[in-house]
Amino acid sequence: MRVTFFDTKSYDREFFSAAATTHGLELRFLEHRLDDSTTATAHDAEAVCCFVNDRLDRTVLTQLRAAKVRHVALRCAGFNNIDLAAAKELGLTVTRVPAYSPHAVAEHTVALLQTLNRKIHRAHNRVREHNFSLAGLVGFDLHGKTAGIIGTGRIGRITAEILRGFGMQVLAYDPFPSVEWAAAKGVAYVTLERLQAEGDVVSLHLPLTRETHHLVNEASLARMKPGVFLVNTSRGKLVDTTALIAALKSRHVGGVALDVYEEEEGVFFEDHSGRGLDDDELARLLTFPNVLITSHQAFLTREALAEIARVTSANLGHLAHRRPFLDGTQLA
Ligand code: NAI
């Protein structure tokens, strides 16, 4: 079966080429993203394999269906970039990889938090310039502070457990709380308002939906503790960037660590060093000494890539042989 991959990098080619061998798949790797101007490049594939910034709206799905594509394999957990109702109507099946390595994302979340807090990125640059001064590098102990975890699914729970290991008090908010887990791990479920008011660190681990869009906005930022550290490794559009910049300018927010950004599509994963940034808000964020940004790399561990390739290739193999998809992976 022929599969066209969009938005691929060297690591996708490496891990998928290894995983696909046992499933008799014919893989075509494209570097550009999927949108309504690139659907034709799926050519005669029966399935397309897409990532977080490929656009899978009704127009694109209709074009794919007309080109005889019958399956969309998302090689990620989030699925906010696909119109599932349109996929169902068009008779396209859709799968994702729901849990490739929640540890990868949780560990990156804590790595970002501690890099920002202890100013490791700035210290590293200084020492490389033979500047061994400590001025401006003061951080705070996590021990004894309060973390607020919004969303206690796979990633949020692991992040909470790591932060408990630092000796933090952990408050959590989730409309579907994991009550037994919280009791076992010493985590307290509270209202969103209380979490925002008491968290020294607030970390987002919930999906992007119509309801959660701009969950962090002017009003919710105002409710947060002065000096709060905000960490977002989930989805960029959970945070209103304009409001965040205002809260940084007023010094209300003490630090911001982001692995995702509201308008990351077309910027993240690419090298813009030679041409500069068109996005003024991203450029402004990068001017703050207390903002740390990585380019949607929380998932990027060997274990996660191998698991993404294993699950996606198995599902594509099952599709070819008309067998059911792996449990919990089918969205449409
Ligand atoms: P999950 O589905 O296991 O957990 C999400 C949790 O959020 C659930 O417990 C759900 O009840 C909760 N939730 C839903 N609406 C909420 C709301 N309004 N307020 C609070 N909680 C709410 O998802 P998982 O695997 O933990 O992933 C979390 C997010 O991390 C994903 O949605 C995805 O966007 C992001 N992610 C980012 C990656 C990266 O590389 N930066 C990689 C993988 C996932």
Side-chain angles (χ1 to χ4, degrees):
M1 191 178 75
R2 274 184 291 274
V3 187
T4 298
F5 284 64
F6 287 88
D7 201 11
T8 61
K9 306 289 176 215
S10 56
Y11 46 81
D12 295 308
R13 295 189 278 276
E14 179 190 338
F15 282 89
F16 271 95
S17 299
T21 47
T22 50
H23 297 287
L25 303 171
E26 198 183 307
L27 311 183
R28 279 184 71 239
F29 295 107
L30 303 178
E31 288 184 5
H32 56 256
R33 279 178 290 127
L34 176 64
D35 62 27
D36 57 6
S37 69
T38 59
T39 44
T41 59
H43 287 299
D44 49 358
E46 290 151 81
V48 291
C49 185
C50 301
F51 197 48
V52 292
N53 288 326
D54 288 311
R55 194 172 310 152
L56 290 149
D57 57 17
R58 181 175 287 275
T59 309
V60 169
L61 294 172
T62 305
Q63 289 172 351
L64 289 174
R65 195 71 190 95
K68 305 281 184 279
V69 169
R70 56 192 176 99
H71 181 72
V72 178
L74 299 173
R75 55 178 193 281
C76 52
F79 50 92
N80 51 283
N81 57 334
I82 184 162
D83 183 339
L84 287 177
K88 275 184 199 149
E89 275 173 42
L90 291 161
L92 284 160
T93 49
V94 180
T95 52
R96 65 168 175 150
V97 188
Y100 39 86
S101 173
H103 296 279
V105 184
E107 289 173 17
H108 190 77
T109 303
V110 180
L112 278 179
L113 169 62
Q114 279 298 67
T115 303
L116 182 67
N117 168 27
R118 303 304 300 270
K119 303 175 173 59
I120 305 293
H121 52 314
R122 300 180 67 193
H124 175 69
N125 288 340
R126 277 189 199 181
V127 169
R128 284 172 64 91
E129 299 268 322
H130 303 170
N131 173 357
F132 298 93
S133 140
L134 297 183
L137 299 184
V138 178
F140 61 88
D141 287 8
L142 289 185
H143 185 269
K145 301 292 185 307
T146 300
I149 301 290
I150 305 183
T152 53
R154 300 172 190 90
I155 297 168
R157 287 200 301 270
I158 295 170
T159 307
E161 288 172 26
I162 297 172
L163 295 179
R164 288 287 294 148
F166 277 97
M168 295 190 87
Q169 187 195 346
V170 176
L171 304 178
Y173 171 75
D174 193 308
F176 302 98
S178 301
V179 179
E180 282 175 21
W181 164 82
K185 302 294 176 185
V187 171
Y189 279 105
V190 295
T191 62
L192 187 57
E193 287 69 23
R194 185 171 156 208
L195 182 152
Q196 288 163 343
E198 295 184 18
D200 298 295
V201 172
V202 172
S203 193
L204 308 182
H205 300 287
L206 68 164
L208 174 65
T209 62
R210 206 170 293 139
E211 292 71 41
T212 63
H213 181 263
H214 283 186
L215 177 100
V216 175
N217 53 35
E218 189 183 345
S220 55
L221 282 164
R223 276 196 293 274
M224 291 185 200
K225 253 186 171 174
V228 64
F229 267 47
L230 177 71
V231 189
N232 184 11
T233 57
S234 282
R235 283 293 179 268
K237 289 186 199 304
L238 293 169
V239 177
D240 177 345
T241 309
T242 310
L244 183 65
I245 290 171
L248 280 159
K249 284 170 77 174
S250 71
R251 314 281 193 274
H252 179 65
V253 168
V256 175
L258 305 175
D259 186 51
V260 287
Y261 168 64
E262 198 170 0
E263 302 299 334
E264 68 181 54
E265 191 184 321
V267 182
F268 280 17
F269 309 129
E270 309 300 333
D271 180 0
H272 292 264
S273 57
R275 60 187 293 267
L277 286 176
D278 296 328
D279 183 328
D280 289 347
E281 291 205 314
L282 179 57
R284 182 68 178 99
L285 278 177
L286 290 168
T287 66
F288 292 101
N290 52 345
V291 171
L292 180 66
I293 300 180
T294 50
S295 172
H296 207 137
Q297 74 173 72
F299 73 99
L300 201 65
T301 65
R302 282 192 296 276
E303 291 78 4
L305 289 170
E307 184 62 5
I308 290 169
R310 183 189 72 78
V311 171
T312 308
S313 302
N315 271 340
L316 290 166
H318 286 207
L319 178 77
H321 297 102
R322 301 196 178 281
R323 288 202 300 269
F325 295 120
L326 301 188
D327 276 353
T329 61
Q330 185 165 7
L331 292 169

